[in-house]
Amino acid sequence: MRFPIFVAVILTLCCPALAAAQLAVSADFYVAPDGDDVGDGSRDEPFATPARAQQAVRELVAAGLDHAVLVYFREGIYPFDAPLAFDVTDSGSEQYGVTYAAYPGEEVSFNGGARLLAEWFAPVTDAAILDRLLPEARDEVLVVDLPAHGVTDYGELFRRGFNFDNGPLDDDTPPAGLEIFVNGRPLQLARYPNDEYLRVAAAPGGPETLQFRYSGDRPDRWTEAADPWFYGHWNAFWADCFFPVQSIDTATRTVNIKPISEEEIERWGWNEGDAWGNYGIEPSRPYFALNLLEEIDVPGEWYLDREEGLLYVYPTADFATADIFVSLADELLQLDGAAHLTFENLTFEVVRNMHFKVSDGVDVAFHRCTFRDAGSAVGRVIGEASGIDSSHIYGIGGTVVGLKGGDRYDLIEAENYLTNSHIHDYAFYARMGTMAVNVRGVGQIVAHNLIHDAPHMAVLFKENEHTIESNEIFNLCWDADDAGTIYVGRDWGARGTEIRHNFIHHINSSLHPWQFGELVAEGVHGVYLDDTSCGNYTVGNVFYEVDKRGVMIGGGRDNVVENNIMANMNSALFIDRRGLARTPEQNESLWNKLVPYNVTEPPWSTYYPELAAMYDDPTPYEPDNNHVNRNMAHERLFWVEQGFWGSSVWEVLMGLPLSFLIFEDNLPNVEDPGFVDEANLDLSLRPDSPAYTIPGWEEIPFSEIGLILTPPELEIALASDKAAVIQVRGITDPWASIASATLDGRDVAASLTVASNGMIRGTIDLSEVSQSPVVLEVVVADPKGRTSDAGFSNELDVPVGDDDDTNSDDDADDDTNGDDDAVDDDASGDDDDAFGDDDNDDDAGCGC
């Protein structure tokens, strides 16, 4: 890896474009929800739509840029019914970039949905519908007539899951249908049972028939259901499928699966035999049923009658005052060939497919944004030096982000990135084969992220020379078996990736195969080098409370596992010889993957001499030359677990798989690793840790793992010339929260809020201020509670004392009209709003 490039990325994160206490308020163009596209785009006459602002920027680009271009969006929701397309005509230059940003202190949403008001929902009165609802839900469920409010496009339900959901890098992944989101969170399509799995009673005719049998009589209630669907791990516990039903025979308790149609085969590239998922159906496997009006029984469940356009919801507790949206648009932005573009402090939300697609992009950045409520993904980044940083991502239906780029033939790195972002609660729709980031090509960067709470992986990588560094990863793989949080497999040439300085902890599955007919559970792991993966580096990581194994070496070679801490797990490492057990066709496919790259010639032979040497190796399928150096293990059942795949029982008992590991200076079982504060997950090491007795041990920078905290950027101003009130606006990361705020020694944290896109705002009463000028000091915290250094606002002269208002009525809030409302009632628009930015809004840009 070319380390200096990564340093440059981190420096960018630590040195935001907008300097603290000096927020920019002047832009080339402004856009406001109450603007007008016939205006000139100035602060006083803002445009109304992003498309009009884009047109104005294109005119500047066409004339030749002589300065960096900034477009500010004023607070509000900007609806998208189709994606806005960007290309080279929208691009900045290396010297002068183009930025689309939220106005400082204001919350801006790019929204692909339709808003529903809570008062539009009414109790169900249709006797036939009431009869289908469960008795406990009849008085709770509400209904809204969507066509009456202009919503008539409901999309389609498609098969989802392993082998169907190929992620944002694949155009053959179908979008979700209409979904409902309440206060930025997806609701649950009505299912049975609510929190558990049922078990397949039988699979008559074998695993590859389009039917299975169930136990019990629950489906007797579903005879009027128009379109039931089922989700399950129908065979392998690391694969799943969400499929539609042809019919349910309640007499024989048989579910008949709808075959894949010719249209689906042509449209999505599916195979006829994949109707039930990739591997058929086995008895005892876990499943549940969905899309059933009859099973709405808990708050947050919903069902859509697609024939009548009636949306049924069991309301959540906050429903009456909530922001309620249904998704309509597939995407918001499509960027093809665009360069030097930045989208900053914006919220992207409510789409059926993904928020954006970047193709052949150069330096396309999404900085400090919020991405939520997408049916499939956040987006894909294909190009170079482009990506997402310092953003908050949640409520995504499948895989979050795809990164791809670089030249694999010449091993030229793309340096696309996903950095310093908080990513959680994803893959709620398609579970298996989904991840926070799908990494392809050469030289992508995944660093300093906090990734948690999802059913499968954090990172799947393929190909070469990626950096996966300083991420904190926890509570993943909770609905899988035989899975890992960081995964690669089935390519001898996918080498050179560094998995370094990550904290991977509390990786446990609630899916136990022994409950569903299997005698053996593979478990879930930290780093999974699967199916003869070779030549990658797992260095300086901390693995803690991992269900099965810290590092899985699935028959590969030339891997390096060194300087790691592995505590509280079944096995620190695993190795087997599965390359010997693969079929000739499978091994031939591995050789064939290498053919296009001339791996025996430079640059491949220079980067990976061990790969070139495999052509002359008489035993290329053995897991040779794996180095295990300077690792420390604690509280494990096995130091190295040996698998039977590729070996006989006798060979395993004799330790043959183990002989393919080269050990040096490990501490395989220390009684006390010397953690500073294990109870609070501070696994940095005390000076007396036995790790320091290992020759060449390198300090793991534990305190630097995860999100990078930077001080917030702040500005304060008087709400008017007469009132003893100040308005605050500022910028921080969208995943941050206020830890403390002081003004004149007084705690004012309760006066400040952080909006969903990281905008800080608030109003502070100055009646008790004892000195002038004042400076606001704010500290922010990350989701784990770690705090930043203080950020300071500008210095501001303020009224001091109790008797400063013009009417001497001691209320400290006198304004020009003497109406004691604490704001200046400037009727003339004469430039006296709080920040002097000539927008006549007198609200300091805060919308307060």
Side-chain angles (χ1 to χ4, degrees):
M1 297 302 299
R2 291 183 284 174
F3 184 71
I5 297 298
F6 181 59
V7 170
V9 172
I10 296 303
L11 287 176
T12 300
L13 297 178
C14 297
C15 303
L18 297 177
Q22 192 59 50
L23 299 177
V25 294
S26 179
D28 294 88
F29 301 108
Y30 293 79
V31 189
D34 60 353
D36 192 330
D37 281 349
V38 302
D40 61 7
S42 65
R43 188 183 284 117
D44 292 332
E45 297 184 32
F47 298 134
T49 64
R52 179 64 185 89
Q54 179 195 33
Q55 178 186 341
V57 172
R58 281 182 170 177
E59 292 168 2
L60 290 182
V61 171
L65 294 181
D66 59 3
H67 68 285
V69 178
L70 175 61
V71 177
Y72 266 147
F73 291 87
R74 303 308 302 261
E75 178 154 321
I77 296 172
Y78 295 84
F80 284 67
D81 56 11
L84 193 59
F86 292 78
D87 56 31
V88 66
T89 63
D90 301 284
S91 298
S93 65
E94 288 188 25
Q95 185 177 9
Y96 302 120
V98 175
T99 298
Y100 294 85
Y103 188 87
E106 300 190 0
E107 191 169 3
V108 173
S109 167
F110 284 8
N111 192 303
R115 186 170 213 153
L116 306 181
L117 300 182
E119 55 262 34
W120 296 348
F121 289 78
V124 176
T125 57
D126 187 319
I129 298 298
L130 289 170
D131 189 54
R132 290 172 61 188
L133 290 169
L134 287 161
E136 60 267 30
R138 287 171 187 160
D139 293 334
E140 304 295 339
V141 174
L142 304 177
V143 62
V144 62
D145 184 337
L146 292 179
H149 300 287
V151 177
T152 57
D153 176 7
Y154 314 128
E156 300 178 60
L157 295 178
F158 291 105
R159 285 173 168 86
R160 303 292 292 266
F162 194 87
N163 207 45
F164 292 102
D165 247 67
N166 296 317
L169 293 175
D170 192 335
D171 285 329
D172 287 338
T173 296
L178 178 144
E179 295 175 292
I180 179 170
F181 301 90
V182 174
N183 281 342
R185 299 284 179 164
L187 298 191
Q188 171 64 53
L189 186 61
R191 57 169 279 188
Y192 176 81
N194 290 324
D195 301 309
E196 300 175 349
Y197 280 113
L198 303 170
R199 292 175 56 174
V200 172
E208 297 185 4
T209 55
L210 292 172
Q211 62 178 211
F212 69 92
R213 289 187 180 153
Y214 58 87
S215 301
D217 298 321
R218 189 72 176 199
D220 290 353
R221 299 191 64 257
W222 307 342
T223 55
E224 295 183 61
D227 190 22
W229 286 64
F230 285 82
Y231 171 89
H233 299 266
W234 302 103
N235 194 314
F237 290 94
W238 39 265
D240 63 347
C241 184
F242 170 70
F243 57 62
V245 170
Q246 183 89 340
S247 63
I248 299 176
D249 186 337
T250 56
T252 62
R253 294 181 174 143
T254 300
V255 173
N256 297 299
I257 302 166
K258 185 177 290 187
I260 289 182
S261 67
E262 290 295 328
E263 179 186 357
E264 289 174 310
I265 293 172
E266 181 177 349
R267 185 176 181 184
W268 305 114
W270 297 339
N271 296 314
E272 188 174 310
D274 289 340
W276 22 244
N278 213 34
Y279 302 102
I281 300 177
E282 292 285 351
S284 295
R285 290 306 194 259
Y287 75 93
F288 54 80
L290 298 96
N291 201 41
L292 293 161
L293 172 70
E294 293 81 357
E295 297 301 340
I296 299 181
D297 64 340
V298 293
E301 284 194 312
W302 66 280
Y303 169 79
L304 173 62
D305 180 339
R306 292 171 181 273
E307 292 295 322
E308 301 295 330
L310 299 176
L311 175 64
Y312 297 88
V313 178
Y314 194 130
T316 54
D318 58 353
F319 196 79
T321 58
D323 289 324
I324 306 166
F325 288 91
V326 290
S327 56
L328 295 179
D330 279 350
E331 285 117 25
L332 301 178
L333 306 179
Q334 292 182 351
L335 302 103
D336 191 355
H340 308 295
L341 282 177
T342 298
F343 299 88
E344 187 167 299
N345 292 107
L346 302 167
T347 295
F348 297 85
E349 58 186 338
V350 194
V351 292
R352 294 182 180 176
N353 193 13
M354 62 185 81
H355 297 112
F356 67 81
K357 292 179 178 178
V358 176
S359 302
D360 297 321
V362 177
D363 183 27
V364 176
F366 293 87
H367 176 59
R368 281 182 163 174
C369 292
T370 294
F371 299 95
R372 64 188 183 192
D373 301 347
S376 289
V378 164
R380 69 179 180 208
V381 176
I382 301 176
E384 60 183 86
S386 299
I388 297 173
D389 76 276
S390 300
S391 293
H392 190 187
I393 301 171
Y394 59 94
I396 308 303
T399 289
V400 175
V401 177
L403 301 178
K404 183 178 180 180
D407 184 335
R408 199 180 186 203
Y409 295 94
D410 293 323
L411 296 176
I412 297 172
E413 300 180 23
E415 299 161 8
N416 297 312
Y417 54 88
L418 172 64
T419 50
N420 202 41
S421 294
H422 183 198
I423 306 159
H424 60 97
D425 294 289
Y426 56 92
F428 67 83
Y429 196 156
R431 295 187 178 186
M432 298 297 95
T434 56
M435 60 228 64
V437 55
N438 187 340
V439 176
R440 302 286 299 273
V442 183
Q444 322 309 333
I445 300 167
V446 181
H448 285 284
N449 301 293
L450 177 63
I451 303 173
H452 62 95
D453 287 288
H456 211 187
M457 293 176 275
V459 183
L460 180 145
F461 70 90
K462 297 184 179 182
E463 297 156 355
N464 303 81
E465 298 295 310
H466 309 300
T467 296
I468 304 167
E469 181 172 34
S470 298
N471 303 284
E472 182 175 359
I473 297 168
F474 69 93
N475 198 26
L476 297 188
C477 301
W478 54 256
D479 194 38
D481 186 62
D482 193 17
T485 68
I486 299 176
Y487 180 94
V488 62
R490 300 191 181 186
D491 185 349
W492 286 336
R495 295 173 176 246
T497 290
E498 294 194 23
I499 304 167
R500 180 174 59 203
H501 297 164
N502 301 285
F503 180 29
I504 300 173
H505 63 97
H506 293 91
I507 307 302
N508 296 284
S509 180
S510 60
L511 183 70
H512 303 297
W514 55 267
Q515 294 179 313
F516 302 105
E518 285 294 307
L519 296 177
V520 178
E522 292 296 332
V524 294
H525 323 294
V527 171
Y528 198 159
L529 310 176
D530 197 12
D531 286 342
T532 64
S533 173
C534 302
N536 294 298
Y537 303 86
T538 304
V539 178
N541 302 280
V542 179
F543 300 94
Y544 181 80
E545 290 285 354
V546 176
D547 171 49
K548 197 73 171 189
R549 297 137 186 164
V551 178
M552 277 277 297
I553 300 176
R557 52 197 288 149
D558 306 323
N559 295 293
V560 174
V561 180
E562 70 179 21
N563 215 100
N564 302 284
I565 298 172
M566 302 169 172
N568 298 41
M569 60 192 66
N570 184 76
S571 308
L573 296 109
F574 173 95
I575 188 169
D576 64 21
R577 302 166 69 204
R578 69 185 63 184
L580 299 181
R582 297 176 69 87
T583 66
E585 292 78 15
Q586 289 172 322
N587 282 326
E588 184 179 2
S589 72
L590 293 174
W591 288 113
N592 289 340
K593 287 180 180 179
L594 304 176
V595 171
Y597 301 103
N598 299 318
V599 299
T600 59
E601 302 292 334
W604 279 72
S605 62
T606 303
Y607 273 67
Y608 316 122
E610 299 91 349
L611 175 60
M614 285 180 66
Y615 284 86
D616 299 319
D617 192 328
T619 58
Y621 307 120
E622 293 282 21
D624 202 8
N625 195 41
N626 288 295
H627 291 261
V628 180
N629 308 326
R630 304 194 307 277
N631 299 283
M632 180 175 67
H634 165 69
E635 290 290 338
R636 82 300 181 281
L637 183 60
F638 299 101
W639 163 230
V640 180
E641 186 180 353
Q642 301 179 77
F644 288 92
W645 201 357
S647 301
S648 67
V649 173
W650 175 251
E651 287 172 326
V652 171
L653 292 175
M654 292 298 293
L656 188 55
L658 191 67
S659 68
F660 289 96
L661 297 178
I662 301 169
F663 295 99
E664 183 177 348
D665 295 327
N666 297 283
L667 292 178
N669 191 23
V670 299
E671 183 175 344
D672 178 6
F675 296 139
V676 168
D677 186 359
E678 183 175 359
N680 291 303
L681 289 182
D682 182 355
L683 303 190
S684 53
L685 298 178
R686 302 190 309 264
D688 64 344
S689 169
Y692 297 115
T693 68
I694 299 175
W697 175 265
E698 295 183 3
E699 184 76 29
I700 298 172
F702 189 82
S703 64
E704 299 174 17
I705 294 174
L707 298 170
I708 300 171
L709 282 162
T710 55
E713 301 146 35
L714 302 163
E715 188 169 277
I716 59 175
L718 287 171
S720 77
D721 290 336
K722 310 295 190 299
V725 174
I726 62 170
Q727 300 281 17
V728 181
R729 67 179 172 199
I731 299 172
T732 186
D733 295 302
W735 39 259
S737 59
I738 302 294
S740 66
T742 57
L743 184 82
D744 189 31
R746 182 160 54 105
D747 180 3
V748 294
S751 300
L752 304 181
T753 60
V754 180
S756 66
N757 65 346
M759 293 301 188
I760 297 173
R761 56 175 150 192
T763 302
I764 300 175
D765 174 20
L766 297 178
S767 60
E768 297 181 14
V769 168
S770 60
Q771 62 180 358
S772 180
V774 295
V775 173
L776 177 66
E777 176 183 341
V778 175
V779 174
V780 294
D782 72 7
K784 303 291 286 184
R786 295 182 298 185
T787 56
S788 71
D789 293 334
F792 297 92
S793 75
N794 54 299
E795 187 177 79
L796 180 68
D797 288 314
V798 297
V800 175
D802 297 330
D803 237 351
D804 291 318
D805 67 307
T806 57
N807 294 332
S808 301
D809 55 5
D810 293 334
D811 59 7
D813 63 1
D814 193 47
D815 61 293
T816 56
N817 294 329
D819 58 5
D820 294 346
D821 61 2
V823 295
D824 183 24
D825 294 313
D826 174 33
S828 62
D830 58 359
D831 294 14
D832 65 351
D833 68 316
F835 284 95
D837 56 5
D838 201 19
D839 57 7
N840 303 329
D841 58 7
D842 286 359
D843 66 356
C846 295
C848 302

